[in-house]
Amino acid sequence: MKHDTFEKVIKFLLGASWGIILFGAFFVFNISIHFGLSIAIFLTLFFILLSLFLLLVLDAFLVNKQRVQELKKQTHLLEQILNSKS
């Protein structure tokens, strides 16, 4: 399957986001552990949830792009059917 530049960039960002989530959670936990274990766990979970939400936004861009491509294919097929009946 041929991928355009937009899809390649989104897929790269999705992969990089997982790395940022893992290292970021570790970093947030290590920085906030000085304030107490409960605060460190809360801040780490908050960081992970926020990061996963942003990851879903990136995935939504990719899904929306694929949906638009499928709608274009369907439109093309419907136009062919309409022209063949005329």
Side-chain angles (χ1 to χ4, degrees):
M1 185 174 185
K2 188 175 141 184
H3 299 289
D4 62 349
T5 306
F6 178 77
E7 287 183 37
K8 288 179 184 177
V9 169
I10 294 295
K11 287 183 179 184
F12 172 77
L13 289 174
L14 283 171
S17 296
W18 281 108
I20 290 171
I21 290 171
L22 291 174
F23 288 118
F26 179 73
F27 183 73
V28 167
F29 183 78
N30 281 335
I31 292 297
S32 60
I33 192 70
H34 301 293
F35 301 114
L37 183 62
S38 60
I39 293 175
I41 291 172
F42 173 75
L43 289 176
T44 303
L45 288 175
F46 180 73
F47 173 80
I48 290 171
L49 290 175
L50 181 65
S51 300
L52 288 176
F53 173 74
L54 295 175
L55 190 71
L56 287 175
V57 170
L58 278 176
D59 194 35
F61 284 135
L62 187 61
V63 168
N64 193 32
K65 171 87 169 158
Q66 291 171 349
R67 185 179 62 85
V68 168
Q69 288 175 346
E70 286 298 319
L71 287 174
K72 285 181 181 179
K73 288 179 190 175
Q74 290 175 6
T75 302
H76 181 70
L77 288 173
L78 288 172
E79 287 174 349
Q80 284 180 347
I81 292 171
L82 182 65
N83 291 336
S84 68
K85 289 186 177 184
S86 299

